[in-house]
Amino acid sequence: MQSIRNRAAGRPARRAAALIAAAASLALIATGCATGDSAGSGGGAGAAESITFIPKQLNNPYTDVVLGGGKDGAKAAGFSATEVVGPLEASASSQVSFINAETQAGTNVIVIAANDPDAVCPALKEARDGGAKIVAFDSDTSKDCRDVFISQVVAKDVALIQTKLISEQIGGSGEIAILSATANATNQNEWIKYMEEELASNPDYKDIKLVAKVYGDDDDTKSFQEAQGLLQAHPNLKGIISPTTVGIAATARYLSTSEYKGKVALTGLGLPNEMRPFVKDGTVTAFALWDPAQLGYVAAFAGKALAEGTITGKEGDTFEAGDLGEREVGADGTVIVGPPTTFDASNIDKYDF
């Protein structure tokens, strides 16, 4: 893939290591991808500012929607240059070299979805020392190495809606399993923690037994194989929760052509456009998600407010997020985008993402 860097004039004077940055960029081309564009038509005021998005991995359908919203938000917020860089695999340390390259390049705002909350911290702290503002989104970093975290929804609500859906679909009793993304993904682990707490404490779920947690690493092939493995290892399995768009789509594809179609329930977090055929053919009854584009959109505006110094990331700070209106920074520097939506046969055709 080609790296396109279109930096505007007026950037902070942090280019002493330009040659190092160039070398780092060449290394990134060999291991991942970088795309970018000039967004000079934005409506913001003040000095030219750049923003770079570093997702957990590129070439992920969910990520594509998030980044599309991020680019729209960056343009609307008035960033002069917007880039997307990142690894092709969602491994713990795969984002570090990309962060280092952005630090050397003098990027004003780095927006990152962390594959591992701790592995990226030393590099992010170095970026902050150089003057960059750090916005975590989708999957949080450790709190001491970012300025704010843009969360899709309240984490517990994401867990509760998935627990409710699987209970409804298996009749309130039986064995279930979870097919997650990576073992270190902050958001996935937080949702799973709340699911486990709800299953253990809510009397409505006393007859549901969680028998396995497996990880597809947000890789389609591995997720497909993990789904196969779950059914082989647990012949009494009645349902699977996959709180990842890659995992739920791969599992649905496996179930749809297997003897388990209609016998093993599947729910979790999915993209309507990917899940539509499996809802139509009866493989999946219902699943949930938020609008991923809004996540990137709000993250861009949060980065702009941080770069301009109108917020610092402390609880109670507020900023305008374009068409989505005012947002407030809550506890632990977290900004909530919106509530989850349940998709089923009655409404899935109303959504296009």
Side-chain angles (χ1 to χ4, degrees):
M1 295 184 180
Q2 184 181 15
S3 174
I4 304 171
R5 294 191 178 277
N6 190 352
R7 307 275 184 196
R11 302 283 305 279
R14 287 185 282 123
R15 301 179 181 277
L19 293 176
I20 298 174
S25 297
L26 289 173
L28 296 183
I29 295 171
T31 58
C33 182
T35 62
D37 55 64
S38 174
S41 60
E49 291 163 337
S50 58
I51 183 170
T52 294
F53 293 85
I54 305 179
K56 289 191 284 189
Q57 67 176 141
L58 298 177
N59 299 334
N60 176 311
Y62 169 81
T63 297
D64 291 343
V65 179
V66 174
L67 295 175
K71 290 177 180 176
D72 289 343
K75 183 176 181 180
F79 281 96
S80 58
T82 303
E83 293 193 33
V84 174
V85 300
L88 298 176
E89 295 183 358
S91 61
S93 60
S94 60
Q95 296 167 306
V96 172
S97 60
F98 294 94
I99 299 168
N100 291 339
E102 293 307 312
T103 301
Q104 298 292 347
T107 300
N108 299 101
V109 176
I110 297 174
V111 183
I112 183 169
N115 283 320
D116 184 295
D118 299 317
V120 295
C121 269
L124 289 177
K125 287 179 178 177
E126 186 173 342
R128 294 181 83 183
D129 290 343
K133 302 299 182 183
I134 308 300
V135 178
F137 74 152
D138 187 34
S139 183
D140 201 5
T141 67
S142 294
K143 296 178 180 60
D144 62 346
C145 53
R146 48 77 168 162
D147 294 289
V148 294
F149 170 53
I150 311 302
S151 180
Q152 304 89 336
V153 289
V154 177
K156 190 170 184 177
D157 289 348
V158 178
L160 295 185
I161 194 169
Q162 293 177 86
T163 310
K164 177 176 179 288
L165 287 172
I166 198 67
S167 177
E168 291 173 348
Q169 292 172 24
I170 66 172
S173 67
E175 295 182 355
I176 65 169
I178 295 174
L179 195 162
S180 182
T182 61
N184 294 323
T186 309
N187 55 351
Q188 299 276 318
N189 288 337
E190 188 170 21
W191 299 332
I192 292 171
K193 179 194 73 172
Y194 284 126
M195 289 182 205
E196 292 177 319
E197 290 177 357
E198 184 70 1
L199 291 171
S201 63
N202 190 329
D204 291 341
Y205 305 143
K206 62 181 175 57
D207 295 323
I208 298 176
K209 183 180 181 182
L210 177 62
V211 295
K213 291 181 289 183
V214 298
Y215 301 91
D217 293 342
D218 267 351
D219 177 86
D220 178 76
T221 301
K222 188 171 189 297
S223 297
F224 187 95
Q225 293 169 343
E226 291 291 347
Q228 284 181 302
L230 280 174
L231 273 303
Q232 292 169 0
H234 303 279
N236 295 321
L237 202 64
K238 291 186 67 175
I240 298 173
I241 299 174
S242 187
T244 159
T245 58
V246 175
I248 192 172
T251 304
R253 195 170 74 254
Y254 170 67
L255 291 178
S256 67
T257 57
S258 76
E259 61 182 296
Y260 304 106
K261 179 181 178 182
K263 299 176 183 176
V264 175
L266 171 65
T267 191
L269 304 178
L271 292 168
N273 286 351
E274 287 194 335
M275 298 301 293
R276 184 172 291 108
F278 305 116
V279 171
K280 300 280 188 182
D281 74 5
T283 303
V284 174
T285 302
F287 63 99
L289 198 66
W290 47 88
D291 186 341
Q294 293 184 356
L295 186 65
Y297 189 87
V298 173
F301 275 92
K304 186 69 172 178
L306 287 165
E308 293 183 341
T310 57
I311 68 171
T312 62
K314 73 176 187 301
E315 185 173 356
D317 278 351
T318 60
F319 63 94
E320 288 294 327
D323 294 339
L324 298 181
E326 184 180 274
R327 300 289 155 153
E328 181 173 352
V329 180
D332 297 323
T334 298
V335 178
I336 302 298
V337 173
T341 297
T342 298
F343 304 95
D344 57 27
S346 71
N347 68 357
I348 195 165
D349 286 336
K350 298 178 182 177
Y351 298 90
D352 185 19
F353 64 86

